Structures are given as structure tokens and as C-alpha cells.
Amino acid sequence: MRKTVSLLAAVSLLLTACGDGAASGGDPARKTIRIAYQAFPSGDLIVKNQGLLEDALPDYQITWTKFDSGASINTAFVAGSIDIAAIGSSPVARGLSAPLNIPYQVAFVLDVAGDNEALVARNGAGITDVAGLRGKKVGTPFASTAHYSLLAALDRAGIKESEVTIVDLEPQDILAAWTRGDLDAAYSWLPSLDELRKTGTVLVTSRELAADGKPTLDLGVVATDFIQAHPAAVDAWRKAQSQALNLIHDNPAAAAKSVGAELNLSPEEAQQQLSQGVFLKPADLAGAEWLGNSVAKGKLAENLVSAAQFLKDQQKIDAVPDLATVQAAIYTEGLPDALG
């Protein structure tokens, strides 16, 4: 059984959870899964659109709640109001660090950011490169992968954060401010990124920053208490996500149809947006470069520690977790077989 919840309802759920410890997903007898999703092109939207998890777990009531950023998802995890989420690697690095120390684990890599996240300067703002952002106003969702990449781009260009006015805006709010002429530039992601490109110039993409040592990813994370109470359900979710990745590789048109339906895009538009991301094959996830397996954790943990160190250097978090702590937060039980 599936239920989709609006962001307004999500706030209500979060507030309810804050006052009710029973809302936790750690009860084995509670056959519910509360999933936080984001509206960016990914296999996660295919899982939602095609009801793959509902088909695999007919005895569970599954609720899909839309969130606009990783920061709000972290808040929901702290409140105990969600069990599984699609969230960027930068907010995950924050979540695993002090003061949040959120008890969740990375169980899937949805995609590696490529040209689907970028820094765009508004036409007419007189900006031709990242160095031109000095004294300008830039919008981005705080505590997101885009925010992390913006800071990395500024650092690479030798610009101090204090030399730029950075405004915390969700993607849809960025579009509204952009239309009013309130922003000189913005770092955001698809699908809103395509709208920015129509009247702006791309200064740098997350693909370029990844090549320069600052990669960002979209991850699937699961609350630790939910993993402990419902390991078979987590396996079913991982297999559904793997099925979606396979569809993106093997049948791009079918994948685009599902993603387009979720984002109100034509299949052609959705396929073009999917082509801008980097989607791994399920077999790759259990390799040394990413999650690893039940015998040895992969390098994803090192990536998250590196991201946390950068955030600490930027004074965005209090302390950097050690590698062993982050490795313990990478869920590899049953890999690679659990990927289907």
C-alpha cells in the first residue's frame, strides 16, 4: 500500500514525531516504511512511480513524502519521522558529524553528480567566471550538495565566502528570485537547473569539481533502528533500487517515462536530464570504490570523511568523524547478493 504526502503534511509528521517516540521505525511489528524523496531525476523516482517496493512488500504501508533538500531530511531523521531517504553526500557528511550525529546508514548510491548540478550566472549580471562572483548574490539550498559544491568552487577560485552574499533558497525559490532579478548566480540541480540555463551561463558543473577532487553523490540512507528491526525490508528496497538502475542502463526510454511522470516532464525531457547524471551499475556498488561488501568497506567512507573535513575547514560543522565511525555507517550486510 502506498501513500504520498505533501511537504506541508511532512512538517506536520515531523512535529508529531518530535512529541511521540512511538513514531520510530524501530518496532519490528510496525509494518510501515516512511520514505523521503526529492524531485530530481533518479532511480528513486522510478521505484516510486512503478510501485516496485509496494510490489515487493505488499504487507507494508509505504508513505512517500517529498522534501526539497537534504537539510530538511536530516531534521526529519533527528525527529524520528522518516525511515529511508534520498539525500546528497554533503548533508550525509553533516549528519554523521557533530553536533547532529544522526543514527542512519548509507545503503545505496543513487547517482554521482555530473552536469545535473551546476553553478549558473544570470545573463546581464556581468559574470563570466567564478572569480566574477566577488560582491555578488548567489542562491543555493544550504547544507546541500549544491552548497558544498559552491563552497568548493569558491575555494578553488581563491574567493573567501565572506566576499560573496550566499542566500539560502530551495530550488523553486531560486527560480522565483532569479525571475525577479534578485540573484546574480545560483548553484542548483535538475530539473530547476534547466530553467536557469535558459537565461544564464554555466560557470562550473559538479562533474568538473568531482574531477578536481570534490565529488558529490546522491545516496540512499536508512535509519539504523529501521535496519535492525526490518532487515528483509531493507534488502527489498535495495533490490528495487538496483532494478531501477538497471532500467536506466538497459531501457532509457522506459526509465525516462517514469521519471518524467514524477517530474511533470515529457519523456524526451526526462531522458535528456537523466543523461546528465552518472548512474552506476548495481554490481559496481559493492566494489571497493563505493559501498564495498560485507567483508570490506569501500572508499565511499573516505569520500564522506573528506567532505566532512572540508565542511569543518569552512566552519560548517563542529568536528570531523573518524574513518572507523563513518565506515560503521556504511551498510554492506549481504552485499553483493542483496543487490539482486
Side-chain angles (χ1 to χ4, degrees):
M1 181 184 298
R2 176 198 294 179
K3 183 179 179 184
T4 302
V5 180
S6 68
L7 184 58
L8 182 62
V11 174
S12 176
L13 281 174
L14 193 156
L15 293 174
T16 301
C18 286
D20 182 7
S24 169
D27 182 359
R30 187 185 295 273
K31 300 292 186 180
T32 60
I33 306 177
R34 302 160 301 170
I35 302 176
Y37 75 98
Q38 297 192 62
F40 55 77
S42 69
D44 196 45
L45 293 186
I46 296 172
V47 173
K48 177 179 182 294
N49 179 262
Q50 297 191 3
L52 300 181
L53 193 57
E54 287 81 0
D55 289 345
L57 298 171
D59 294 337
Y60 279 75
Q61 179 176 335
I62 300 171
T63 301
W64 293 81
T65 304
K66 181 177 176 292
F67 285 77
D68 289 329
S69 70
S72 57
I73 287 174
N74 273 342
T75 300
F77 269 115
V78 170
S81 61
I82 55 176
D83 305 306
I84 298 175
I87 181 173
S89 55
S90 178
V92 169
R94 285 175 179 259
L96 295 176
S97 304
L100 292 179
N101 297 315
I102 299 174
Y104 57 31
Q105 297 182 44
V106 179
F108 208 84
V109 178
L110 299 174
D111 66 79
V112 181
D115 299 326
N116 52 351
E117 289 194 8
L119 174 60
V120 184
R122 185 170 52 82
N123 291 342
I127 303 169
T128 58
D129 55 21
V130 177
L133 292 176
R134 284 188 176 89
K136 302 295 186 178
K137 184 181 292 186
V138 185
T140 196
F142 279 12
S144 67
T145 52
H147 187 200
Y148 172 87
S149 294
L150 172 61
L151 296 176
L154 294 176
D155 183 65
R156 188 175 74 159
I159 301 175
K160 296 179 181 179
E161 184 181 354
S162 59
E163 295 180 280
V164 180
T165 300
I166 302 178
V167 185
D168 181 15
L169 294 172
E170 301 294 354
Q172 289 304 312
D173 296 324
I174 286 175
L175 285 180
W178 186 273
T179 301
R180 294 192 303 268
D182 293 344
L183 296 174
D184 300 302
Y187 209 123
S188 191
W189 53 79
L190 292 172
S192 61
L193 175 60
D194 266 357
E195 293 301 313
L196 301 179
R197 286 174 174 145
K198 291 178 181 178
T199 55
T201 301
V202 174
L203 302 179
V204 68
T205 69
S206 292
R207 186 189 301 273
E208 295 171 63
L209 293 171
D212 201 39
K214 290 291 186 292
T216 51
L217 309 92
D218 289 315
L219 304 172
V221 300
V222 185
T224 299
D225 63 354
F226 187 85
I227 291 174
Q228 294 169 344
H230 304 274
V234 176
D235 284 350
W237 171 77
R238 291 191 291 188
K239 288 177 181 177
Q241 293 290 348
S242 295
Q243 188 176 342
L245 282 184
N246 282 329
L247 190 68
I248 291 172
H249 285 282
D250 300 338
N251 194 340
K257 183 177 179 181
S258 289
V259 170
E262 292 295 323
L263 297 178
N264 196 28
L265 299 172
S266 70
E268 294 75 20
E269 290 172 321
Q271 190 163 347
Q272 192 274 337
Q273 291 196 5
L274 281 169
S275 71
Q276 298 178 55
V278 179
F279 297 94
L280 304 173
K281 293 186 176 181
D284 296 332
L285 299 186
E289 196 68 26
W290 303 107
L291 295 172
N293 53 50
S294 54
V295 176
K297 298 296 175 77
K299 293 181 181 178
L300 176 59
E302 296 173 20
N303 175 289
L304 292 172
V305 171
S306 177
Q309 182 61 61
F310 180 78
L311 293 171
K312 174 66 167 58
D313 293 342
Q314 297 287 327
Q315 300 181 332
K316 302 301 180 185
I317 59 175
D318 294 344
V320 178
D322 59 45
L323 180 60
T325 296
V326 178
Q327 286 177 328
I330 307 295
Y331 184 63
T332 58
E333 186 69 27
L335 295 186
D337 293 345
L339 296 175

